[in-house]
Amino acid sequence: QESVVQFLRKMSYQVVRIRADNEPALKKLMEKVKDLALKNHHIVVDLEFTPRYSSQSLGAVGQIQRATQEQLRALRTDVEIRYGNIVITPDWVIWPWLVRHSMWTMERFKVHANGMTSYEANFGLAYKGDLVPIAETCLFRFSVSKQGRGAKGVSLGKADLRFLKAVFLGRAE
């Protein structure tokens, strides 16, 4: 729910209408989003739920769902091939990150009929940041203040490690 509210904040609207299907878990999520958005960010959310078994009511959402599923399958297959002899299932820790990262990449790189990505349409410029493939093993640098303090105020000496080997799970907003 926090990531949905953060998305609404990023869009900079004061009033938003969200249309969703009638699935109970989604309804509950959207109600929480509505409450959080108003309470924490003063964004008014108007919820609209479609009739049951009426996929036509959601319009383009079905196309986005299909595109997201395709992107998720592509990312998953890429990771499974690169790591060899693994099968990623929804109970793996990486699964929610695959879902989030698939949407993140589509927003920045999928070109629509108007010749722009969603990111360009929303912010007026193309995304130009660096990107590492999801699940790539990388070296990550610890954040260190000018006073030489690391996470939780721990002092780091000049010879202490500043990098950690880890698996990249995706970009955050």
Side-chain angles (χ1 to χ4, degrees), residues 58-139:
L58 289 172
V61 172
Q63 294 171 353
I64 294 168
Q65 287 173 330
R66 278 188 297 283
T68 303
Q69 291 167 358
E70 291 167 359
Q71 180 72 357
L72 175 62
R73 283 192 296 269
L75 289 174
R76 174 186 175 188
T77 301
D78 175 60
V79 173
E80 289 174 346
I81 289 170
R82 281 190 287 123
Y83 278 88
N85 296 326
I86 64 167
V87 177
I88 298 172
T89 59
D91 59 328
W92 283 43
V93 172
I94 194 174
W95 189 266
W97 289 98
L98 282 168
V99 174
R100 176 180 284 176
H101 193 67
S102 67
M103 289 304 302
W104 190 92
T105 57
M106 284 178 45
E107 180 184 18
R108 283 155 182 81
F109 304 113
K110 183 178 182 346
V111 179
H112 300 286
N114 65 2
M116 297 190 326
T117 66
S118 298
Y119 188 88
E120 286 176 280
N122 290 328
F123 301 107
L125 61 133
Y127 178 76
K128 296 199 186 311
D130 293 329
L131 187 60
V132 174
I134 191 162
E136 181 75 19
T137 303
C138 306
L139 288 177

Side-chain angles (χ1 to χ4, degrees), residues 156-173:
L156 295 172
K158 291 180 182 179
D160 289 340
L161 291 178
R162 298 291 198 272
F163 291 88
L164 174 69
K165 192 175 189 180
V167 175
F168 175 73
L169 292 177
R171 297 286 301 255
E173 292 298 331

